[in-house]
Structures are given as C-alpha cells and as structure tokens.
C-alpha cells in the first residue's frame, strides 16, 4: 500500500526522503513501522528529529492509546561498540530516576535486525529555548517557579549518582497541565555520566554537551585529581536561568577558545545591563550570580540548596503577569470612573487616559526612548572605561556591540564616531609601543620578555589591532631559537661536538647582535667548550695509549670516531696529530714493503721478460703501420667520399638514446630496497618522499597503554612491502596546485573514488580549505599550513593525482613506529612529551589551574608550543625515518574503511579493508588533540564525505 505523509497525508513515492508537498522528512524506519506495529505494540506517527546517533519518533501505543517517544540508534552506529554501550547506559541510568520533573523511560528493546530502541514519555509542549524566544523573556515569578521545578528534577538526577552534563534550554521541556499552568521536565540523558568509572565510553578529546552552557570544570579547569561533579550542572542551570530572565544567553562567542575564556575568566553582565526591562530583585540576582561562580566551592552545594534559596525569595517578587505584556506596550483603555475634560488635557499634558500609571501610549514611547538612551550611554561609557584601562580588545567588543545596537544610526552618531577614532588611534600607538619594546627585548636577547610582551599584546589588543605580520615574525623567531637550542642540547647529550659547534654558529647568526647579551647562549657555548676539551683530552689519551701499544686497528678506529664527533681542524691535540703521522708512516712503509716483495719475487728473470715483451711490441707496431698504409691507399682509389665516408657507411654510429623523463620514483636495486633513507622529490606535488623498506611489525595496542580502545585490539603481526611516503602532510599550496591542475574534473580509475567538485570553489578562494581560517573568519591561511577541511574523497583524489594513494592503517602505523618501535606515543611512553615534537594542545596549565586532556583538546590552542592554531608543515624535528608531524597538526586520512572488529578479523599481510559502511579511518591527531588521541595506535572514524578543519592527508607510493 502507498505510504502517506504523516503531516499532509500526501502520497510519498518509494525512495524519497521527504514529502514533495510539505517537505516532511521520511526515513526507512518510519516507512516500515508506521504500517505495521513495532514489537506488536507501537505505531509510529511521525519523525520528531534526527540526532548524531539516531532518530526520534512520535509513536502511539496501540493498546493503551497513549503517545510515546521512541529513540533509535542509527544503523551505521550500531557497529560502534562504544556508541552501543552509551545507548544502553542512557537507558539504565534513566531507570534510576522517578520524578515528575524528569522525563520517564517506559521500555527498551532490540529488534530482530539488531536495532536498539527505547521508549520515553511523550511531553506535549515546547522546549524552553522556544518558550523563552516566543515571549522575549520571562517574568521573575514565572522564571523562578519553572527554575525551582527544574532544580527539583535535577536533584533527583544527582541523587541517582548521575551528572547530566548537558543542561541547556533545548533539554528542558515546558508543557501545560489541565489548568493551563506551565511545568518543566528534564530530558535527554544521552551524554550524562554516572559517578561510577565509565571512562572508556567517551572518546578523549571529544567534548560532550554545549559550549554555550558548559561549566569551567567541563572545559577542564580542575586542579590535579579533581573530577566534574553535580556543581557543574548547577553552573549550567545558572546560565539557563539568566537567559530565562533576560532573553539573552550570558555568553555568546564564535569559537570554542572564546567560550573557554568567557566561562573561566569573564563575569556575566548585570541583568539590567543586558536587558533594561528586567524586573528581577536584587536578592534574586545575587542568588543567580552565586550559581555562576567560577570557583565551584563558592556555588550552591546542591540543586536542592539552589531550589530552596530561590523559594525563599519567591514571595518577594512582583506578581506574575501575562508574558506578552513584557514585550508589547500595554493597551490604551478608557477609565469609566474618570474622564478628563478637554481643558484639563490641554493645560496638563501629563494627565493619562488609561486606567493606571504608565498605560498611555505617550508614556510607553517615552519610557522606550529613555531606555534606549540609557543603553546607548552605558555602552559609550563602557568603551571609554575599557579604553582608559588600555583594555583595547574589550573596548572594541563594546564598540562593536554599540554599532549593532545603533544599527544604521551608527555612522551618523557623533559620539560613536568620536570614540571609534580615539580607540583606533590609541590602539595604534599601543601597537607601536609594543613593537619597540619587543624589538628591544629581542636585541638584548630576552626571549621570555618577548614572549610575555606578545601574550600581553594579544590580551590587550586582540586580533583586530595587532600587526599579524610582525607578530608572525616574532613568533617564528622564538620558535627558531627554541628549536636551535633544543637541537644543541640533544647534540651535547650524544657528544656530537662537531654538529653542536655548527648549531651554535647557527644560533649566533639567528640571534645577531643579541648573541653577545644572551646569557643562555653564552653559558651553552662555554659548557660546549669545557665538555669538548674534557672529551678531547680523554680520547687523545686513549689514542696515545693505542699508539704506544702498537695497536694500529684500535688507533684507526679511535681517530675515525674523533673525526666524526669532534671534527678535524685547528686546535687538535699534539698527541692526535702524532698518531695521524704514525699511521701515515705505517701505511707508507707497508706500501714500500709490498712493492719490494713484488720485485723480489721475479728474481733475475725480470730483465729477460721485459726484453721479450719489448721486441713483441716493436714488431706489432711495424706490422700495424704497414697495414694502415696499404688500407688507406686502397680506399683512396676505390671510394668517392674518401676513407671517412666509407667507414661511416660500413660502421654507422649507434643511435642517440634520450633517457625518458621519470615521473615516478626511481627503481631501487636489491640492496637499496633493504635500506631506509632513500629520497626522491615528486615533481607532481613538489614534496620529498622517503623510502621505507618492507618488514613485519606489530600493529595495535601497546602493552601498558591504559587508554586503548576496543577497536585497537588485539595487537597482531602485519607484513608490509616497501613504500615511498611523503615526509610532510599535504599543504594548502600543494592542494591548490592539484585543484588548479584538475579544475574539478579529476579522472577516476578503479583505485580511487569520484573527486569532489568543491575544489573549484577552493581555487576561487571560497572553499573551507582555501583562504579561510579554521574559525570561519577572513584571515588568509599561509600556503605552508597543512591542507584542512579535506574529506576522504578529496584526500584520495589528491593522492591519486600525485601518483600514489592514501596509506593503509598498517603503513601509517609502521612509519609512525619507525618500523619496529612499540612505544605508546611517537616520543615514548610519557604522556607529556620530553621535547617539542609536534603541534597539538599539549599545555597542562593556565595560570594556577591545571587542565586535563579533555580541556587541552577544547582549548584549541597549544599555549606552549608556539602556535595559536596550525603550524607550517615541518616545524618540528622529523622522526628517525625523516617523517614530520605524525603527531598533531591535522588528522591524516587512511585508505581503510573503519570497522570496530577489524583487528580481530585482520590477516598477516597489508591490505585495504573495504566494507559496506562508508566510514574511513584517520590517524595521528590534530592540533586540537589531547594525549589519548596522539597515541600511535589511536583510531578515529569519519564518513568519507565528511570533513573537519583538522582533517588532512599525506600520500604513499607503493
């Protein structure tokens, strides 16, 4: 029978995902179970919504004739064991809670095809976000009454040992009872967390909840050993109550990093500043701001205490009125008891015709104008005050707020124009002052002061006023200095004094005139000279000892070691020079003895043999001369072109063979195939590729790694053939060349998918991976950054154009492990890297607060890695194979399809796993990643046509 639209009752043809008439969404699940009962008792009515894990439907219990909500898990998510466990966990936690202000769970079941679903209470109402939006804002009486109900329900959640972690207006439903009174219910425990240990169920580095309503603890601002508790939900609900009272969220930002700063450092504006029409009392506002304390020890200890505190001030609030009166002027009505005379109206304009104070139209307009003028003045004063404190970034925020508030009147407002000019002039003078101070700190070799001034400049001026080019130059200077010093220290540890001396020369050139004042550099150079002197003396003594003992091989070996580690040159100890001369004399003596042995071995027969050979050679020369003369005479007599033409005809020169242009990597002989380190520059993408010999290694979870996911087990042996791998990730410049070369018409073959035509937009500068910053601003991306926003299809097409393909998971991990290593991270087994090894959120502190891994991922900025977001490829040292950035910067696509059971089904040889589910694997973590995602064996999955600003690639050529 035909399927009818649940909204307009129109017929929807098979295969359509939406009604052609009303655009109502339709799913296969809805088609199936709207025509037959689900589990024999539920009839699906309509699709309510689609989430990240599944769909939500309205259903009718066919026996009870009662409405229900059915939540299902998406089919392609069901194979994800972690997601499956979270779905079941939500149902189990819901059974612990029985409260009238929390949505009730009625049923849970699994269908024959493995689809899980749960049945919830149906709430006939709207979420709090829409409820507040429709009314502009709520009266204090209504807001407090709903808040008390929500907090009572939240207390029952906490008593069950559950932290909701996603308290927001979208997860609070408002419905009316039979008397027409509003009530609120908490919904959605999908990201809730039990106090019991269930850490494995949430992937590290992935934030749960909503940033706009997140607590500082959710963002990682915790001291060592602390965990998120129920007070986190109290903070989130404080944000919700603020929005109920004002109609505006207290914090609004464009980037996760800005939300982090606001939730950890900024205080919400007073209610009257945000909305002059708010009539909340001072005690109510005091309670609200107590719930919004950054230090959780200063908040209410429980939702129960917060509810009781609100209840204590409820009686002091003004009586509740119709919410529409809060946003619209009161209607004008005639008073039957008193009608003013025309004369009184003319002589006293203040006489009102309404039934109460403030009800005439003129008064309403005047109050509105007064409020508008007051708000304008407040913003003007705020700009001036922030400018006076030299907080130019905050002043600019207030200025832009004022611009939006004034709208088209901003350009003609004299006060606005005056403040704008003064702010920009003062900011420019401050920029010049910072530039002079930073340059002075650089000349006097004070890198800490340079870093401090750069950070202070960012905080005071913000992105709009700071000279981005100059800042990038100073950042690069600091990074280069740190890199050179780290390299020198590493060379000192390995006693590679020759290379260390060369690095010290590079540091001196880099520091310029500041080298003479750089105490760290001078101390390092002095330490190098002392260490070099001590090591040289010890080695010279060993060489002298070998010479005196007549140990030629030992002396030669020690001298080779000296030349490698210390470098030959002036200042060589006399004993080493004597040893060189001694070995030279030994070699010359050995040659003379060998020559004498050869001569003496022939004895008296040598002169006779020499005479015989001389006679033979003389006779042969005479015969050859006679033959040549006769041949030339014959050719002159019998050829027209002379002897040279004849010889050219008889013996033509071999053809000239032009070597073909090589577009692929060079062929390696049998010995070179077994050695690593061969390099080749790919003319297509311009990158250097390194040869990685084949071999057998163990892929998967490392013993002792407590953060391994189920999809990383069991570890197993894999055998690989050799392959070439790009030393760096694909850059914006390389992907631009690819896009320009293909013009969106990349020809596919059997080894690659269709190419995404969005590269045309990239060439035009409009695509996400083009000249756009990761936060969507118009900032131009440097061409040396890794190409981001690449889907698997983009990356696969790019690598095919480059002459290769994406690496398999095994090839990627083999390269990251430097072929045979079994460490947890690329730098070893420590969660904190011992040196700067990659661009990622590896900061562990902000001020006095300690951040956990989730916070570092949300920080979206590695504070101590030298970069605010992406880093140019190759900014950090390569691994032993010569490969850069295998940890951090961007996640790298692999050829393989994702399967959570792949390692349980894998064979012993490298292969590309393709499955019906179009999920692909990424490896290596991005610049936003925390430690657990930077592990070598960590796997992430994403749909092949999906992307993020931290998804990129590198290529291999088999």
């Amino acid at each position: 029978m035909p399927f009818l639209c649940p909204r307009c009752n129109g017929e929807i043809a098979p295969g359509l995902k939406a009604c052609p008439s009303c655009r109502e969404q339709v799913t296969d699940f809805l088609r199936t179970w709207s025509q037959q009962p689900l589990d024999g008792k539920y009839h699906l009515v309509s699709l309510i919504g689609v989430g990240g894990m599944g769909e939500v439907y309205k259903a009718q219990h066919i026996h009870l004739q009662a409405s229900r909500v059915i939540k299902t898990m998406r089919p392609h998510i069901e194979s994800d064991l972690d997601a499956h466990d979270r779905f079941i966990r939500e149902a189990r936690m819901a059974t612990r809670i029985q409260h009238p202000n929390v949505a009730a769970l009625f049923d849970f079941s699994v269908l024959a095809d493995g689809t899980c679903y749960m049945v919830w209470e149906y709430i006939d109402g709207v979420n709090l976000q829409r409820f507040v939006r429709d009314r502009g804002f709520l009266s204090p009486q209504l807001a407090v009454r709903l808040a008390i109900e929500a907090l009572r329900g939240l207390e029952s959640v906490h008593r069950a040992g559950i932290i909701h972690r996603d308290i927001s207006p979208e997860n609070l439903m408002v419905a009316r009872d039979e008397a027409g009174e509003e009530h609120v219910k908490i919904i959605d425990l999908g990201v809730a967390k039990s106090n019991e240990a269930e850490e494995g169920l949430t992937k590290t580095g992935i934030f749960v909840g909503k940033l706009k309503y997140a607590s500082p603890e959710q963002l990682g601002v915790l001291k060592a050993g602390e965990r998120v508790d129920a007070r986190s939900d109290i903070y989130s609900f404080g944000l919700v109550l603020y929005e109920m009272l004002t109609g505006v969220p207290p914090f609004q930002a464009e980037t996760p990093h800005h939300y982090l700063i606001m939730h950890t450092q900024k205080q919400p504006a007073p209610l009257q500043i945000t909305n002059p029409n708010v009539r909340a009392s001072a005690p109510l506002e005091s309670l609200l701001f107590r719930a919004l304390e950054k230090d959780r020890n200063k908040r209410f200890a429980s939702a129960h205490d917060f509810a009781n505190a609100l209840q204590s001030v409820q009686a002091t609030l003004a009586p509740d009125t119709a919410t529409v009166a809060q946003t619209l002027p009161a209607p004008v009505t005639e008073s039957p008891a008193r009608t003013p005379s025309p004369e009184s109206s003319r002589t006293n304009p203040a006489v009102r015709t309404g039934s109460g104070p403030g009800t005439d139209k003129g008064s309403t307009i005047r109050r509105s104008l007064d409020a508008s003028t007051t708000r304008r003045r407040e913003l003007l004063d705020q700009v001036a005050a922030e400018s006076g404190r030299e907080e130019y970034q905050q002043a600019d925020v207030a200025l832009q707020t004022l611009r939006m508030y004034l709208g088209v009147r901003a350009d003609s407002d004299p006060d606005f124009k005056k403040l704008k000019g003064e702010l920009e002039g003062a900011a420019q003078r401050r920029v010049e002052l910072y530039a002079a101070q930073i340059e002075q700190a650089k000349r006097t070799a004070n890198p800490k002061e340079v870093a401090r001034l750069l950070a202070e400049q960012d905080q005071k001026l913000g992105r709009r006023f700071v000279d981005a080019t100059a800042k990038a130059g100073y950042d690069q200077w600091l990074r280069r200095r740190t890199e050179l010093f780290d390299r020198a220290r590493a060379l000192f540890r390995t006693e590679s004094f020759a290379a260390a001396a060369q690095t010290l020369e590079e540091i001196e050139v880099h520091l310029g005139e500041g080298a003479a004042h750089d105490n760290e550099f001078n101390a390092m150079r002095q330490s190098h000279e002392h260490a070099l002197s001590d090591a040289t003396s010890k080695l010279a003594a060993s060489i002298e000892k070998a010479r005196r003992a007549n140990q030629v091989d030992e002396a030669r070996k020690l001298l080779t070691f000296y030349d490698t580690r210390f470098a030959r040159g002036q200042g060589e100890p006399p004993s080493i020079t004597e040893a060189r001369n001694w070995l030279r004399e030994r070699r010359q003596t050995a040659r003379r003895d060998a020559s004498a042995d050869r001569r003496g071995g022939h004895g008296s027969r040598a002169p006779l043999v020499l005479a015989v050979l001389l006679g033979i050679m003389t006779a042969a020369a005479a015969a050859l001369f006679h033959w040549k003369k006769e041949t030339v005479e014959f050719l002159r007599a019998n050829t027209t072109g002379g002897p040279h033409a004849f010889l050219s005809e008889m013996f033509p020169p071999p053809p000239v063979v032009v070597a073909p242009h090589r577009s692929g990597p060079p062929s390696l002989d049998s010995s070179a195939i077994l050695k690593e380190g061969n390099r080749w520059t790919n003319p297509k993408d311009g990158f250097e590729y390194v040869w990685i010999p084949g071999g057998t290694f163990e892929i998967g979870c490392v013993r002792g790694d407590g953060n391994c996911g189920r999809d990383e087990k069991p570890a197993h042996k894999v055998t690989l053939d050799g392959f070439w791998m790009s030393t760096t990730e694909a850059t914006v410049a390389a992907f631009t060349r690819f896009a320009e070369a293909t013009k969106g018409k990349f020809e596919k073959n059997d080894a690659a998918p269709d190419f995404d035509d969005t590269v045309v937009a990239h060439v035009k500068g409009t695509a996400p991976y083009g000249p756009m910053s990761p936060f969507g601003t118009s900032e131009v991306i440097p061409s040396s950054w890794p190409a981001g926003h690449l889907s698997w299809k983009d990356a696969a097409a790019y690598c095919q154009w480059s002459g290769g393909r994406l690496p398999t998971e095994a090839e990627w991990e083999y390269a990251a492990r430097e072929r045979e290593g079994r460490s947890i991270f690329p730098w070893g087994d420590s969660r904190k890297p011992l040196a700067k090894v990659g661009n990622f959120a590896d900061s562990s502190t902000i001020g006095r607060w300690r951040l956990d891994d989730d916070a570092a991922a949300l920080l979206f900025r590695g504070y101590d890695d030298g970069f605010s977001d992406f880093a140019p490829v190759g900014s950090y040292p390569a691994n032993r194979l010569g490969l850069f950035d295998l940890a951090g910067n961007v996640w790298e696509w692999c050829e393989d399809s994702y399967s959570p059971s792949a390692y349980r089904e894998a064979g012993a040889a490298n292969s590309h796993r393709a499955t019906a589910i179009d999920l692909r694997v990424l490896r290596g973590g991005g610049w936003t990643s925390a430690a657990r995602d930077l592990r070598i064996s960590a796997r992430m999955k994403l749909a092949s046509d999906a992307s993020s600003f931290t998804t990129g690639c590198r290529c291999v050529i088999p």
Side-chain angles (χ1 to χ4, degrees), residues 43-206:
H43 172 73
L44 265 60
V45 177
S46 63
L47 177 67
I48 296 177
V50 178
M53 290 179 57
E55 293 102 19
V56 181
Y57 299 91
K58 180 180 179 181
Q60 189 80 5
H61 196 296
I62 59 177
H63 302 303
L64 302 179
Q65 295 296 307
S67 296
R68 296 286 186 263
V69 171
I70 292 184
K71 183 177 180 180
T72 67
M73 181 180 289
R74 287 175 177 270
H76 71 274
I77 299 291
E78 291 167 10
S79 59
D80 184 345
L81 298 180
D82 288 345
H84 183 270
D85 289 347
R86 285 197 297 273
F87 194 77
I88 296 178
R89 182 188 60 167
E90 178 183 0
R92 288 175 178 169
M93 288 192 298
T95 60
R96 305 181 197 172
I97 307 166
Q98 299 293 328
H99 194 275
N101 296 114
V102 181
L105 178 71
F106 292 137
D107 198 359
F108 182 92
S109 186
V110 181
L111 300 177
D113 62 357
T115 301
C116 298
Y117 74 90
M118 58 181 79
V119 182
W120 290 85
E121 172 188 2
Y122 177 77
I123 303 170
D124 188 9
V126 296
N127 63 35
L128 185 62
Q129 182 184 46
R130 181 175 175 183
F131 186 76
V132 173
R133 186 183 66 225
D134 291 346
R135 288 156 177 77
F137 61 96
L138 305 185
S139 68
Q141 272 284 359
L142 178 59
V144 168
R145 182 168 60 79
L146 295 179
I148 292 172
E149 290 186 3
L151 287 168
R152 299 296 187 203
L154 189 58
E155 176 64 18
S156 71
V157 173
H158 292 165
R159 280 200 306 269
I162 299 167
I163 305 166
H164 194 285
R165 298 199 299 169
D166 194 15
I167 294 294
S168 64
E170 292 94 327
N171 288 334
L172 295 169
M173 294 293 294
V174 180
R176 297 180 184 273
D177 60 14
E178 295 179 355
E181 189 174 55
E182 299 92 348
H183 297 280
V184 67
K185 289 201 176 191
I186 301 173
I187 64 171
D188 198 354
L189 299 177
V191 298
K193 192 171 189 178
S194 170
N195 289 335
E196 302 168 5
E198 291 174 330
E199 296 298 329
L201 295 181
T202 302
K203 204 74 167 170
T204 302
I206 299 177

Side-chain angles (χ1 to χ4, degrees), residues 829-852:
D829 291 338
S830 171
R831 289 173 63 85
K832 184 71 175 176
L834 302 178
K836 297 293 191 299
V837 295
N839 182 40
F840 44 82
D842 59 344
S843 176
S844 61
T845 59
I846 298 181
R848 65 187 179 90
W849 296 100
R850 177 175 178 80
L851 301 180
D852 60 13

